[in-house]
Amino acid sequence: MANPKILVDQRLLRGFRRRALKAYPLEHMEAIHGKVDDLTLKIYSIHPFDQESATKDSVTVKGEHIDQDIEDAQDAGLIVLGDIHTHPGLPGEGAAPSEADYRDAHHHGSLLLGICHIHKNKARMSTRIRFYLANKPLKLKIR
């Protein structure tokens, strides 16, 4: 998919941010449901997974919940586009997928990765959300 647009209602992002800040300083992950129309990824819902465990740098989702999430999306006439999760407290930008994020996305057949960087500066917390296509190009070494 070359240079797609991503459409999402700000209310969905605000809801995710609220839930993510509540989970801080632990990582938090939610499913992204939507549709693909031509070169547009339309996000219609963002909702929590049943998380098995979470730390400051990882989150584990119960496998049976992923299967149920796929069914729920299909029942609503949507597909699971991918997931959005936090990178709490990483230095710098922090809103970029890690290699593990890309591996997991490929394993689950995701189209989209959402990363929410949470930064705490004294008494104030700020968030920054970015979306990425899950099909990151492979690094090639030509001899």
Side-chain angles (χ1 to χ4, degrees):
M1 184 175 281
N3 298 323
K5 286 194 304 187
I6 299 168
L7 298 179
V8 60
D9 188 312
Q10 288 297 316
R11 289 176 292 184
L12 293 175
L13 296 179
R14 278 195 302 270
F16 174 80
R17 280 184 169 108
R18 266 194 315 276
R19 295 184 296 274
L21 289 170
K22 186 175 179 183
Y24 184 86
L26 303 178
E27 244 190 59
H28 179 74
M29 177 184 284
E30 299 193 8
I32 301 171
H33 292 181
K35 291 184 178 182
V36 179
D37 295 322
D38 295 321
L39 287 177
T40 304
L41 298 171
K42 297 179 181 178
I43 299 172
Y44 289 102
S45 71
I46 299 175
H47 64 276
F49 279 117
D50 186 8
Q51 295 178 178
E52 192 170 323
S53 64
T55 66
K56 291 181 179 184
D57 58 8
S58 70
V59 62
T60 305
V61 176
K62 295 180 180 180
E64 64 271 12
H65 190 74
I66 292 173
D67 294 338
Q68 183 62 50
D69 191 60
I70 293 168
E71 274 185 47
D72 292 346
Q74 290 172 342
D75 289 347
L78 305 171
I79 63 170
V80 177
L81 293 173
D83 70 69
I84 182 170
H85 67 275
T86 59
H87 283 177
L90 286 178
E93 291 292 308
S98 66
E99 289 299 320
D101 292 335
Y102 281 113
R103 270 194 312 275
D104 289 345
H106 176 73
H107 175 75
H108 294 291
S110 299
L111 297 173
L112 193 63
L113 287 169
I115 305 293
C116 176
H117 178 235
I118 299 175
H119 179 72
K120 187 173 184 178
N121 186 2
K122 295 184 182 176
R124 185 173 183 266
M125 292 176 47
S126 62
T127 62
R128 180 179 192 166
I129 295 177
R130 288 190 174 168
F131 289 97
Y132 300 85
L133 291 182
N135 60 345
K136 179 183 178 189
L138 298 173
K139 294 178 184 174
L140 296 178
K141 193 179 232 183
I142 301 172
R143 298 178 199 212

